Each structure stands twice: as C-alpha cells, then as structure tokens.
Amino acid sequence: MEIKVLGPGCKKCQETERVVKEALAETGVQADLVHVTDTMEIAAHGVFGTPAVVVDGKVKSVGKIPSKADVISWIK
Amino acid sequence: MAESCCTTGGQVMILACSGGSNVGQLSNQAAIELTQEGFGKMFCLCGIGGELSGFVQSAKDTPAMVAIDGCAVGCAKAILEKAGVPQRAYLVLTDLGIEKNKDFALQRDQVDQVKAAVKQACATLPRDAAGASGCRG
C-alpha cells in the first residue's frame, strides 16, 4: 500500500501526516508513506487544495485534516 | 516548515458547464473572470465527469461551491449528481432570461449579468468554511 500526503509543508499538512502515521501504527498496516511537497506533483493529482491524502492512487481527502477513524477506514 | 500555506478567507469552487452554446460559453467566461477577480477559483468539471478521484473528492470536500449550467439540460448538475457531489449554489443561465443560441460573440452585458447572478447565488455559501481547515491551491 502507498499513502501520499499532499501539501507544501504547512502545519496542517504536517498534522495530516501525523494522523496517518498514528492510524498506521494503531492498525499495524504496512504502507509506504510519502509526503509530497512539490507543487507540480500535487497539481497532477487534480486536487483543489491541500492537505490531501491519496491511498493507492485514489484521492481520499482534500483541504482538511482527516480524522484518524477516516484514515483507518481507508487503509483497512 | 511553513507556518501556514493557507489563503485567507474562503475560495469558492466555480464549476461551469462550458457547453457548446452561447450560454455554455457565458458560464465559462463568467467563471474565468470571477477567478481573475479573486471571487473564487474555476475548477475542472470535466475531471469530475471523468470520475478522476482528485477532482471528485475535491468537489465533495469543498463546502463553498457553485455550479453554473447554461441551459435546463443541466449537464453540470447531472455530472455532480452522478459523482455523488452534494449540490450547493446552483444556477441556470436561461432562467436569467438569456436565450440559448449558437452565437459565440458573447455580449458584455450578459457576461456581467451572469457574474452578478453567480455572486448572488453564492451569498449563502459558507465562505468562511472554505479554506478554513486547509489550503486552497
């Protein structure tokens, strides 16, 4: 599984990454987590804003910090 | 780390049908000008229609959004319904008294009329909510 957090590096993007890490730790799911900060790569995902979360190529959340429960529902 | 990458205030997502008639192109021109003027940001309805996840999820997660259909065929509305995107602000340009035709020489007064109608349709949108929890690209 590959998870991408899209965001240029603001606090909300970092918080999103933290939530995803917590969800992975809690579930024991193995995944490659990448924080994408490159604006062109972010734009290639077609998102209107950041932070955004992409799981195995599918965008799951845009413009907000997802809840841990949401992240768990995406990865289980 | 940047302290914040977020814009101030809300960004309205503007989705225009951009169809093959005067009213379709009026929706497109109004969306362009409202973006240039900073009222909102035009977004790709085509990407939503293509069911590309980034576009669909963006529309679902953006509380301040307006869809502009040129005519009562309602292509923009249908695309949003098919994608499971809740309808928020919405208007149909023929309802404004603009007759649909194939004359693509857009009239300035009609573009301005559409822009004013879009702004009015967005009056009840949660502008503060858009972008409040994230960054708008």
Side-chain angles (χ1 to χ4, degrees):
Chain A
M1 178 181 289
E2 182 187 58
I3 302 175
K4 292 181 181 177
V5 173
L6 310 182
C10 70
K11 285 183 176 178
K12 284 165 183 162
C13 306
Q14 299 290 350
E15 177 67 8
T16 297
E17 183 177 353
R18 188 190 64 76
V19 170
V20 172
K21 283 180 176 174
E22 279 190 9
L24 289 171
E26 187 169 313
T27 58
V29 171
Q30 297 296 311
D32 293 324
L33 175 59
V34 182
H35 190 148
V36 178
T37 58
D38 179 75
T39 54
M40 294 304 291
E41 189 175 349
I42 291 171
H45 287 82
V47 294
F48 189 63
T50 57
V53 179
V54 186
V55 178
D56 285 340
K58 186 170 182 182
V59 177
K60 295 290 190 180
S61 173
V62 177
K64 61 185 179 184
I65 301 168
S67 69
K68 187 166 65 177
D70 281 342
V71 177
I72 289 172
S73 73
W74 301 334
I75 63 178
K76 287 192 83 173
Chain B
M1 181 178 74
E3 283 299 304
S4 175
C5 59
C6 302
T7 57
T8 57
Q11 279 268 35
V12 177
M13 175 185 283
I14 305 172
L15 298 168
C17 83
S18 304
S21 66
N22 66 321
V23 284
Q25 290 309 300
L26 278 169
S27 76
N28 192 66
Q29 186 61 32
I32 290 170
E33 293 186 16
L34 289 169
T35 300
Q36 291 172 331
E37 294 164 8
F39 175 79
K41 187 175 179 185
M42 191 177 186
F43 196 61
C44 299
L45 183 66
C46 192
I48 300 171
E51 299 181 351
L52 303 180
S53 68
F55 294 89
V56 173
Q57 197 61 47
S58 291
K60 287 180 177 176
D61 286 347
T62 301
M65 177 236 284
V66 59
I68 313 167
D69 262 319
C71 68
V73 175
C75 301
K77 183 180 181 182
I79 285 171
L80 295 177
E81 286 176 352
K82 184 183 177 189
V85 177
Q87 183 176 305
R88 297 181 180 100
Y90 177 69
L91 69 160
V92 180
L93 301 193
T94 50
D95 288 348
L96 304 177
I98 302 173
E99 186 177 346
K100 181 179 180 179
N101 59 45
K102 290 288 185 181
D103 181 1
F104 294 114
L106 304 181
Q107 298 173 33
R108 183 71 252 168
D109 62 327
Q110 289 185 334
V111 174
D112 291 339
Q113 180 187 2
V114 172
K115 287 165 64 179
V118 170
K119 288 179 178 177
Q120 185 175 16
C122 292
T124 59
L125 288 176
R127 294 294 297 269
D128 290 342
S133 63
C135 313
R136 297 290 154 184

